[in-house]
Amino acid sequence: MAVKQKTVFVCQSCGQESTRWLGKCPGCQSWNTFVEETNIVSPASDSPRGLVANTERPVLLQDVVGGHEARYHTGMGEFDRVLGGGLVVGSVTLIAGDPGIGKSTIALQAACLLSGQGLKVLYVSGEESTAQTKMRAERILKTPAASLYIVNQIDVNAVIEFINTLEPQIVVVDSVQVVYQSGLGSSPGSVSQVRECASLLTQLAKSRGIAMFLIGHVTKDGAIAGPRVLEHIVDTVLYFEGERYSAYRVLRSVKNRFGSTHELGVFEMTSSGLAEVTNPSEIFLLERSKESSGSVVVPILEGTRPFLVEVQGLVSRSAFGMVRHKAQGFDANRLALLVAVLEKRVGLRLEDQDIFLNIVGGVRVEDPAADLGVALAVASAFLDKPVPADTAVLGEVGLSSEVRSVSHLVLRLNEAEKLGFKRCIVPKNNLKSKNEIKLKTLQLIPVVNVREALDVVKG
Ligand code: TYD
Ligand code: MG
């Protein structure tokens, strides 16, 4: 049978294809990421797709049994929640992140916990030797798990063979960028290889009902294909992020066919693996200087999870002709709008003031419920009037300075109460509905506009 040869240039960052080399990718705007890839498509007979048995026939939707997905639970609450309540049988989850962030650690931890429940787990380690993985496992787990198999292999055909003979319930492939398929012309790590291997493994996971983790490195220079080229192939995409010099790590779900996205899990890297942080609010508020002007605590929401974050404002008279407005962790345009509301509607004379805003702890706040907190942080800094340390602030602010209602009020209030806040400024509109809000100690202060909220602060 004839061998078809195809040469294309592929962006290693987003997978955009072109017939000629391009300096800048029109898809993702990154520079110098195009690499020539030769895909030698071998005859169908010796293709490894033959190894992936697929005997599905069309059936009537009404005859399909099940519909409620079975899930495995790792027992790591933060991890299970980000997955949407456990690992779905027959699903593929991509864990993506910068090199060294802790992807292998979290995957191995999950593998250990799952095998501890008697599930058969295969950990394919393409980057580290089996001895290295053993050492890591000993660091994170004192007793070795009984049904955890480990193999150092990067040939995807061999991996598929192992899976077919071992019949594990859970498979981890670390990482998807080092496995390759020998029949394909392009080098390991290229877009064609990564895509081909991932789709082969995905098919296998679906047909055999295996819960599979693929680990993918995020790369900046385009030397190997980024995890973005896989996002449409897999069921769930989790990004593992963190500041380089902080021990805290955040696991964020950006795609989930079996649960909510924007779900967040917080971990701390310790000398014995990743530890769950079940009370992130306490950490974000740890170093708060109470009773200082310009500091406001806001209960924001990430996915279904409430968080308390500290918003800090600093206002000082500008030494130059042009004032500066700078925001860290908050949208600069939104800050400009809130400053304009404070000037025009509340009457604060901010036009010759430099304004700085910071969300503590390196978090990025996009939740509109933080608007009123931001406005009060700026106003409190300007007037040098501290917001009482036991008072949290909630509300979206409109252009005519009205305070608009926020979503999931009760979740947010419960979190504030749990952390010992005594009072919370809330939008009056939120309290209109007849549904009673049951709170033990937290006192609610309803406000209609920003001026009313500021009056509460001024006392
Ligand atoms: P790793 O999981 O190898 O990262 P990735 O797979 O994302 O490249 O983890 C890397 C870092 O984590 C490494 O610098 C060492 C550190 N680490 C700990 O601090 N404690 C531990 O128990 C382990 C296993 C790793
Ligand atoms: Mg690794």
Side-chain angles (χ1 to χ4, degrees), residues 354-369:
D354 287 339
I355 296 171
F356 304 94
L357 189 88
N358 179 33
I359 311 287
V360 179
V363 248
R364 233 206 113 64
V365 175
E366 273 156 22
D367 188 350

Side-chain angles (χ1 to χ4, degrees), residues 39 46 60 186 341 420:
N39 297 348
D46 54 357
L60 285 170
S186 43
V341 167

Side-chain angles (χ1 to χ4, degrees), residues 69-74 79-80 83 85-95 107-108 110-112 114-115 117 119-124 147-149 159 163 166-174 198 200-215 234-236 238 256 258:
E69 68 267 357
R71 288 179 190 260
Y72 299 130
H73 298 274
T74 62
F79 192 62
D80 288 343
L83 286 169
L87 185 60
V88 174
V89 175
S91 77
V92 180
T93 305
L94 175 69
I95 303 179
L108 189 63
C112 287
L114 289 163
S115 67
Q117 299 168 20
L119 295 163
K120 203 189 264 185
V121 184
L122 175 65
Y123 193 104
V124 181
S147 55
L148 175 57
Y149 292 82
V159 171
I163 295 172
L166 194 66
E167 301 188 343
Q169 282 136 312
I170 292 139
V171 174
V172 180
V173 179
D174 185 5
L200 276 172
L201 291 165
T202 305
Q203 272 185 40
L204 186 68
K206 302 269 168 201
S207 63
R208 285 191 162 269
I210 295 168
M212 188 178 283
F213 288 109
L214 301 179
I215 292 179
V234 301
D235 298 305
T236 304
L238 308 181
N256 195 344
F258 311 105

Side-chain angles (χ1 to χ4, degrees), residues 104 127-128 136 174 217:
S104 303
E127 296 186 346
E128 292 170 30
R136 189 198 295 268
D174 185 5
H217 296 291

Side-chain angles (χ1 to χ4, degrees), residues 9-154:
F9 291 87
V10 188
C11 169
Q12 303 295 303
S13 163
C14 71
Q16 175 102 16
E17 291 187 7
S18 164
T19 47
R20 63 194 172 89
W21 189 84
L22 297 173
K24 185 182 183 187
C25 173
C28 65
Q29 316 297 331
S30 42
W31 287 91
N32 206 17
T33 51
F34 275 85
V35 169
E36 183 175 5
E37 292 190 6
T38 322
N39 297 348
I40 300 174
V41 184
S42 36
S45 54
D46 54 357
S47 141
R49 288 197 184 267
L51 293 168
V52 182
N54 200 342
T55 51
E56 287 263 317
R57 294 267 173 276
V59 287
L60 285 170
L61 183 60
Q62 62 188 25
D63 295 342
V64 176
V65 283
H68 192 76
E69 68 267 357
R71 288 179 190 260
Y72 299 130
H73 298 274
T74 62
M76 253 192 296
E78 295 288 297
F79 192 62
D80 288 343
R81 205 197 43 252
V82 176
L83 286 169
L87 185 60
V88 174
V89 175
S91 77
V92 180
T93 305
L94 175 69
I95 303 179
D98 290 328
I101 202 79
K103 300 179 296 299
S104 303
T105 307
I106 199 162
L108 189 63
Q109 248 173 285
C112 287
L113 287 166
L114 289 163
S115 67
Q117 299 168 20
L119 295 163
K120 203 189 264 185
V121 184
L122 175 65
Y123 193 104
V124 181
S125 167
E127 296 186 346
E128 292 170 30
S129 68
T130 46
Q132 275 174 308
T133 310
K134 172 89 194 283
M135 263 152 56
R136 189 198 295 268
E138 277 170 354
R139 247 176 110 169
I140 61 181
L141 199 84
K142 304 297 172 260
T143 48
S147 55
L148 175 57
Y149 292 82
I150 176 146
V151 64
N152 179 266
Q153 179 58 264
I154 56 172

